DNA sequence: GTCTATAACAGGATAGAC
DNA sequence: GTCTATCCTGTTATAGAC
């Protein structure tokens, strides 16, 4: 319980439990829950396997902790931004920048979340509340209501093509997240190596918001 | 080897091997390779576990067969369409219709493929050749060359906003595939049940191509 | 808290009868 | 070809010393 001071090294020691969590994060994100091995996590953390069970009773509980943490990372504040009072164009630009920037740093995240959700759809509920901190029943409607008002306004003014808020949201996050979730496929189809893929994403940060905004025009 | 006639039942017996393959398909697509259990596949196929090993030596070989089959289903002819000589607008419309229609029938497919590719990136190569029947080194360039020419033409004529063929392709397949790959997440965030999700996709079939084409205008 | 050793179990694979 | 019974390996989980 007592926080340990880091006597020498600059990067402070966050304790064994945290080291294990970090290792678990790495391994689960890479291999998926079913494919992850407790032994590999222990090795990655530089401790032995028994210690994992000391801190987190079972593999299931550890997986649970990792998923919860990961869920808070995907869509970091997308729902918050989209539900805010910002101008619609600004929302788009911010979501794009935030997501591409963030996912560039944690490229395994989308693949992991989608895999988990695909194999355990009941976790969707958990994902939503992790993102928003409120119940799933409220999060969606809140965002959609805000968007619907902004869209209606513009459509009436004739400055925007008709679109439902649902399609709006799905289009936007599809364009942001899919390239990372499908990274191996995209690298394969387009014949890119790692460096070229990174460049591709950089280019995308400049082109995506304008692309999306053009699609919104009447 | 001899095809069996179906003496009584109308649905003809496609043989045990095929029944096992179908069952394996169902289970692997639902649970992922690591999460799938031979026992569950046997039960699903209505045979016992030993028979799986009789037909397909190991779990790995069975998984291999399933992946190969699945790979041929995703992007059914997207690469072919995009690499063809069709008009650009027609390509977009056809890809959208083909993919949404097809994925509506096999909703687990994208999640499964992405999971596999995420955990075993080396399979990307196998995916590409399964799609195109030609080597990965040729498939990408072929499509991109065709698109680049069409895009350049239009941009010069001033009828289209500048975009690289790579971003063009990724945008298009992101918008088609992601909603299925992230189905549980989307249902959660938007608060949709199964029926409402199906309606959402129906709506998407009408709205997606126009949306995309608007984004292409100058 | 951390370790070594080992128990307990799950799941894939095989033997052999029919 | 198909089944039942069983083996065997890999993996999670616990006991107990330090």
């Amino acid at each position: 319980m007592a926080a340990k001071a880091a006597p020498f090294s600059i990067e402070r020691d966050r304790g064994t439990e945290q080291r294990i969590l970090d290792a678990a994060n790495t391994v689960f994100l890479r291999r998926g829950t079913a494919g992850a091995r407790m032994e590999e996590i222990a090795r990655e953390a530089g401790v032995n396997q028994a210690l994992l069970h000391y801190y987190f009773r079972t593999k299931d509980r550890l997986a649970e902790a990792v998923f919860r943490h990961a869920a808070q990372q995907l869509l970091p504040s997308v729902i918050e931004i989209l539900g805010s009072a910002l101008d619609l164009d600004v929302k788009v630009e911010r979501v794009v920048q935030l997501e591409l920037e963030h996912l560039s740093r944690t490229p395994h995240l989308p693949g992991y979340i989608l895999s988990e959700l695909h194999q355990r759809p009941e976790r969707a509920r958990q994902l939503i509340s992790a993102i928003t901190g409120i119940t799933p029943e409220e999060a969606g409607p809140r965002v959609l209501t805000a968007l619907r008002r902004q869209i209606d306004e513009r459509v009436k003014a004739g400055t925007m093509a008709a679109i439902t808020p649902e399609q709006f949201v799905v289009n936007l996050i599809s364009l942001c997240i899919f390239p990372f979730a499908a990274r191996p496929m995209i690298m394969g189809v387009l014949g890119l190596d790692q460096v070229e893929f990174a460049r591709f994403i950089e280019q995308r940060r400049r082109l995506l918001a304008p692309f999306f905004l053009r699609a919104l025009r009447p």
Side-chain angles (χ1 to χ4, degrees), chain A:
Chain A
M1 218 53 192
K4 291 175 190 163
F8 295 104
S9 67
I10 294 181
E11 41 179 23
R12 70 191 213 77
D13 178 5
R14 277 132 76 248
T16 305
E17 180 167 3
Q18 189 59 45
R19 293 236 316 289
I20 292 173
L21 255 179
D22 290 348
N25 214 60
T26 305
V27 175
F28 276 111
L29 260 65
R30 197 164 48 208
R31 308 254 187 248
T33 298
R37 296 289 164 255
M38 296 295 271
E39 181 272 319
E40 188 179 359
I41 296 170
R43 187 158 26 88
E44 176 90 22
V47 300
N48 69 79
Q49 215 170 325
L51 216 48
L52 305 191
H53 289 94
Y54 174 78
Y55 283 103
F56 306 84
R57 205 62 187 164
T58 67
K59 179 184 176 182
D60 242 43
R61 284 174 189 272
L62 187 50
E64 171 70 21
V66 168
F67 182 80
R68 193 185 308 280
H69 179 251
Q72 292 169 342
Q73 302 243 332
L74 188 70
L75 307 174
S77 332
V78 168
I79 290 190
E80 194 187 315
I81 291 176
L82 291 180
S84 76
L86 289 169
D87 183 73
L88 205 55
D89 296 18
V90 177
K91 286 185 181 181
V92 170
E93 181 67 34
R94 287 216 188 157
V95 167
V96 168
Q97 293 307 326
L98 210 73
E99 281 298 290
L100 295 197
E101 207 275 334
H102 178 64
L103 295 180
S104 293
R105 300 188 192 289
T106 52
H108 286 295
L109 191 62
Y112 166 74
I113 299 270
L114 292 192
S115 294
E116 288 303 303
L117 249 39
H118 175 237
Q119 279 144 39
R120 289 202 175 87
E122 51 315 341
R123 279 194 165 165
R125 153 174 297 270
Q126 192 181 340
L127 172 79
I128 313 294
S129 53
I131 296 171
T132 61
I134 59 176
T135 67
E137 286 72 20
E138 297 175 33
R142 189 169 299 185
V143 168
L144 295 177
T145 305
L147 283 179
R148 192 186 311 276
R149 204 163 21 78
Q150 291 182 299
I151 292 171
D152 280 356
E153 242 172 49
R154 294 203 178 192
V155 170
K156 261 182 204 149
T159 60
M160 186 174 169
I163 187 174
T164 67
E166 287 87 356
Q167 302 285 350
F168 180 98
V169 171
V170 170
N171 287 348
L172 186 54
I173 68 173
S174 296
L175 291 165
C176 290
I177 297 181
F178 185 83
F180 294 95
R183 190 169 71 144
M185 184 168 102
I186 286 172
M187 288 173 67
V189 174
L190 299 184
L192 306 178
D193 62 26
Q194 296 229 354
V195 177
E196 290 166 332
F197 183 82
R199 271 200 219 105
F200 173 79
I201 295 296
E202 271 316 302
Q203 184 182 56
R204 201 164 175 79
R205 287 180 70 167
R206 286 179 278 115
L207 297 179
L208 189 51
F211 176 89
F212 193 87
L213 292 174
R214 286 200 299 276
L216 295 181
R217 294 173 315 174

